[in-house]
Amino acid sequence: MIGIEGAVIGFALLLVLLLIGLHIAVALFSVAVLGAWVFFGDAMFRPFGTMMWGTLNNFLLVAIPLFVFMGEVLVRGGVTERMYRALSDWLRPLPGGLLHTNIIASTVFAAISGSSVATAATIGTVAFPTFRKQNYSERWVAGTVASGATLGILIPPSINLIIYGAITNTSIGALFIAGIVPGLILAALFMGVIAVWSILDPRIAGPHGKLAPWPERRKRLSDLLPPLVIFIVVMGSIYGGWATPTEAAGVGVVTAMLLVALYGRLNWAMLKEAMLSTVTTTAMTLLILVAAFYMNFILGVLGVPRVVSEFVAALDVQPLVMLLILVCLYLILGCFLDALAMMIATIPIVWPIMEQLGYSPVWFGIFLVMMCELALITPPVGMNLYIVQSVRGRGHVGTVIAGVLPFLICILALVALLGIFPGLILG
Amino acid sequence: MSRLPAETPFVLKRIETLSRLFALAAGASVALLAVLICLDIGARSLLNVSLQGTDELGGYVLAFAGSCGLAYTLLHKGHPRIDIALSRLPRVLQNPAHVLAQGTLAAMASFMAYHAVGELAQTIRFGAVTNTPLQTPLWVPQGLWALGCGVFALTTIATTLHAIWLMVRAPERVALFYGPMTVSEEVEDFMETPQGEARS
């Protein structure tokens, strides 16, 4: 139906439309409509209404507003702030001291929220004032906050994994479980870098200071319970097979409200903000998804996935070489595209290639999310860099960029590890 | 940059009020759904009865939130655009780009509304009822969906006209209304929650 040139032209057009600043959904939609119109006239417009209803009325995707709402309630209810303080009590003595708090707090926060932006903004807001009093290297503080926040989309629940699962028909439960091990390895790598570096150059960390007295620490220890409860409730009900990911999200929302009510922070003003924010994120995501599902449909009718995978099969490259090429490609794309847009736009083309090379859909999902993590912290467009810079409120964004570099290398190292030992990703 | 008072035209203000109501209703439906899911799971595991239809209602909630939240999201710059190239352009070129973005969004929104209404019309014509225990008359959820899409289309048309008008009459204010969300706006989104006394 269409040659490889056609596919390349379509993708190039998509990039151009994105770069001239059309809304992401509109760019995807325009390419789809144009493709449909050139090859089929208006025949392929007719199924649009039915498809849109199908996309919106999809129980898998219902997990998105629920998980977003859960995260919103927990952040606005002050759960994160308390958790951060409780963690910093214990991590002080490590080499690199409080820098580890940023990573662990991000890891824990990632487990109760599916968004990196939320993680960066929340952790950053608590972190900077704490660190300024203690003479830490601002570059490292910024770097740890921005990089730690990327864990938000890898460690379940993750909005990106839900979207990937819905587009490729992959079990979201399997994706969530598969994200845990790489997420923890990555957090460990981040902490390793901090520890090693601060031994080599102790100036990056401030004085260790004294541990808070035990009764005080013990009292704050209970602030670690809410995130733990949420994680156990959500992942436990998925893993234990009692609930689908969507149902688990619903249970998570109710649990989050109860916990926040225990803190005395459940009120109408807070709920209203959380609801509006949830609806904004949901509508934003769904508009892109409506366009993406339609684009996938058109690409499928045009036979693009088959053409691309045949083209790649004919090249006869080693899987690992192909993987290397893809990593380079995603690194470049990630510099210019928003992470979510990059993921959605490339799935229909890249997934057939990976399938051809024998990778499992779950493996590719985790790989793709890690590529998104890179995109979040690569200049000039990395969203986390700017969020952290904005929260920091002084100096130049270059400091944040310098700060994330060691962590960027960690992510690449983990990708290499997963490429060589695909078994690290279950499924 | 000197910030001129950003007067929003009367029509857009009304649309904003309406879209906020829609968005709140959508948000409340998400919260209710969560409660319903919990009841369902509780009943299923403790009493061994299923409430039936939670998943179906969930789908409707998503369609409701996904369509009725679109206009509010637009007015709060929630639909993302990539501004890497844009932000480096001179204003003479930036403004047409902002107008183009609004205009193409209006085209997409109208396309969506047209097809949503078409789908709804067909549902009504056949008197379609879902083949589930709930036997939902499908026009109800689809009606809300089509309504949301319709309001979104009208909103995008209004913003496009407003953007064109601004480009001609007050070029320095186009970006204020129709530029991509700036990072500080995005961060504020997380911070604007009123903090209660409980803050320790």
Side-chain angles (χ1 to χ4, degrees):
Chain A
M1 203 62 227
I2 190 174
I4 189 81
E5 320 80 43
V8 173
I9 293 172
F11 195 68
L13 178 67
L14 175 64
L15 290 184
V16 170
L17 293 181
L18 286 170
L19 287 179
I20 62 169
L22 295 196
H23 292 87
I24 291 170
V26 175
L28 294 166
F29 179 75
S30 308
V31 173
V33 164
L34 201 69
W37 187 69
V38 167
F39 290 93
F40 307 104
D42 66 356
M44 287 299 157
F45 292 170
R46 263 167 256 151
F48 183 76
T50 316
M51 285 193 54
M52 183 171 38
W53 177 248
T55 308
L56 291 173
N57 185 17
N58 178 339
F59 193 63
L60 284 180
L61 294 175
V62 182
I64 295 177
L66 291 170
F67 276 129
V68 172
F69 191 50
M70 178 180 97
E72 289 284 341
V73 168
L74 290 170
V75 172
R76 293 174 197 273
V79 169
T80 334
E81 272 175 64
R82 287 164 184 262
M83 170 193 87
Y84 190 91
R85 294 213 187 88
L87 281 172
S88 68
D89 279 351
W90 298 88
L91 298 169
R92 221 175 264 275
L94 295 177
L98 291 176
L99 290 175
H100 293 288
T101 316
N102 289 345
I103 303 295
I104 296 199
S106 301
T107 311
V108 180
F109 189 71
I112 56 176
S113 148
S115 143
S116 278
V117 173
T119 314
T122 329
I123 304 280
T125 313
V126 202
F128 282 105
T130 322
F131 279 101
R132 289 215 173 114
K133 282 183 231 144
Q134 316 205 21
N135 236 351
Y136 275 67
S137 150
E138 189 106 346
R139 196 183 83 171
W140 278 81
V141 179
T144 45
V145 175
S147 323
T150 64
L151 292 165
I153 55 174
L154 181 57
I155 295 177
S158 151
I159 304 295
N160 291 49
L161 284 176
I162 297 174
I163 291 172
Y164 172 84
I167 294 181
T168 60
N169 263 328
T170 309
S171 152
I172 290 168
L175 286 167
F176 275 8
I177 287 159
I180 298 177
V181 172
L184 292 180
I185 296 179
L186 193 54
L189 285 176
F190 285 174
M191 290 176 69
V193 166
I194 296 172
V196 171
W197 209 292
S198 65
I199 289 169
L200 296 177
D201 179 5
R203 283 169 304 168
I204 68 165
H208 288 315
K210 266 206 241 123
L211 283 173
W214 166 246
E216 208 175 300
R217 275 189 287 159
R218 198 186 48 197
K219 198 168 139 240
R220 280 204 288 261
L221 202 58
S222 63
D223 287 338
L224 292 179
L225 278 177
L228 192 69
V229 169
I230 292 281
F231 187 74
I232 291 175
V233 164
V234 171
M235 288 311 289
S237 52
I238 296 175
Y239 200 69
W242 311 11
T244 64
T246 305
E247 288 171 339
V251 180
V253 168
V254 173
T255 316
M257 291 211 257
L258 291 177
L259 289 170
V260 171
L262 275 181
Y263 280 156
R265 293 277 288 266
L266 190 70
N267 56 55
W268 172 237
M270 186 276 270
L271 274 182
K272 201 170 90 175
E273 290 302 327
M275 280 176 188
L276 286 176
S277 201
T278 303
V279 169
T280 308
T281 310
T282 308
M284 176 274 272
T285 313
L286 283 178
L287 188 66
I288 295 178
L289 278 179
V290 163
F293 274 92
Y294 186 58
M295 187 182 76
N296 275 1
F297 166 71
I298 297 296
L299 289 181
V301 191
L302 286 172
V304 172
R306 191 177 41 81
V307 168
V308 173
S309 66
E310 277 169 7
F311 176 77
V312 172
L315 291 179
D316 197 27
V317 284
Q318 290 291 313
L320 276 180
V321 176
M322 193 62 220
L323 202 61
L324 193 67
I325 297 173
L326 282 178
V327 171
C328 294
L329 188 80
Y330 275 116
L331 263 175
I332 297 168
L333 281 178
C335 289
F336 298 95
L337 294 186
D338 164 269
L340 186 63
M342 176 180 92
M343 187 179 98
I344 290 176
T346 56
I347 289 174
I349 301 170
V350 180
W351 166 233
I353 301 177
M354 301 303 276
E355 196 176 23
Q356 165 85 29
L357 295 175
Y359 288 100
S360 79
V362 172
W363 191 94
F364 179 57
I366 301 299
F367 168 81
L368 201 52
V369 165
M370 294 191 55
M371 293 300 113
C372 290
E373 289 191 85
L374 286 173
L376 285 169
I377 53 174
T378 40
V381 176
M383 197 63 213
N384 283 11
L385 300 173
Y386 294 94
I387 299 282
V388 169
Q389 173 59 24
S390 170
V391 174
R392 186 163 90 103
R394 69 179 187 203
H396 189 260
V397 71
T399 314
V400 190
I401 295 174
V404 298
L405 266 179
F407 303 104
L408 216 116
I409 294 166
C410 289
I411 302 182
L412 286 173
L414 180 59
V415 172
L417 200 67
L418 296 177
I420 299 167
F421 305 105
L424 285 174
I425 294 173
L426 315 160
Chain B
M1 194 180 77
S2 68
R3 274 206 164 188
L4 289 164
E7 294 153 39
T8 312
F10 175 77
V11 179
L12 275 178
K13 270 189 199 153
R14 287 291 156 278
I15 294 180
E16 208 277 338
T17 313
L18 179 72
S19 74
R20 178 180 293 264
L21 284 178
F22 270 34
L24 278 176
S29 73
V30 172
L32 282 179
L33 175 69
V35 174
L36 196 66
I37 286 175
C38 282
L39 291 178
D40 188 15
I41 294 182
R44 201 163 66 198
S45 42
L46 300 177
L47 310 172
N48 235 349
V49 272
S50 173
L51 292 180
Q52 306 270 345
T54 314
D55 48 350
E56 188 183 341
L57 289 174
Y60 301 150
V61 165
L62 187 73
F64 182 50
S67 54
C68 290
L70 289 169
Y72 178 81
T73 306
L74 174 68
L75 295 175
H76 292 262
K77 295 192 185 178
H79 295 298
R81 295 164 63 193
I82 290 166
D83 67 346
I84 169 165
L86 269 187
S87 56
R88 285 163 176 72
L89 290 177
R91 191 194 284 154
V92 193
L93 292 174
Q94 260 187 41
N95 282 350
H98 295 325
V99 170
L100 181 70
Q102 291 300 318
T104 48
L105 184 64
M108 177 180 174
S110 310
F111 189 87
M112 283 167 57
Y114 174 79
H115 284 274
V117 171
E119 193 76 7
L120 175 66
Q122 206 169 4
T123 298
I124 292 175
R125 200 168 340 119
F126 294 125
V129 171
T130 57
N131 183 19
T132 55
L134 290 183
Q135 300 214 324
T136 318
L138 208 48
W139 67 267
V140 178
Q142 286 195 342
L144 288 170
W145 165 60
L147 179 69
C149 290
V151 170
F152 182 50
L154 289 178
T155 311
T156 52
I157 292 169
T159 56
T160 306
L161 294 176
H162 184 216
I164 294 173
W165 185 84
L166 281 177
M167 185 167 68
V168 178
R169 299 296 295 276
E172 69 285 357
R173 280 160 63 188
V174 176
L176 191 65
F177 280 95
Y178 300 111
M181 191 187 245
T182 60
V183 178
S184 46
E185 285 169 331
E186 188 137 358
V187 172
E188 270 166 31
D189 244 26
F190 285 96
M191 303 304 145
E192 68 196 7
T193 311
Q195 305 283 356
E197 252 89 347
R199 189 172 195 156
S200 48

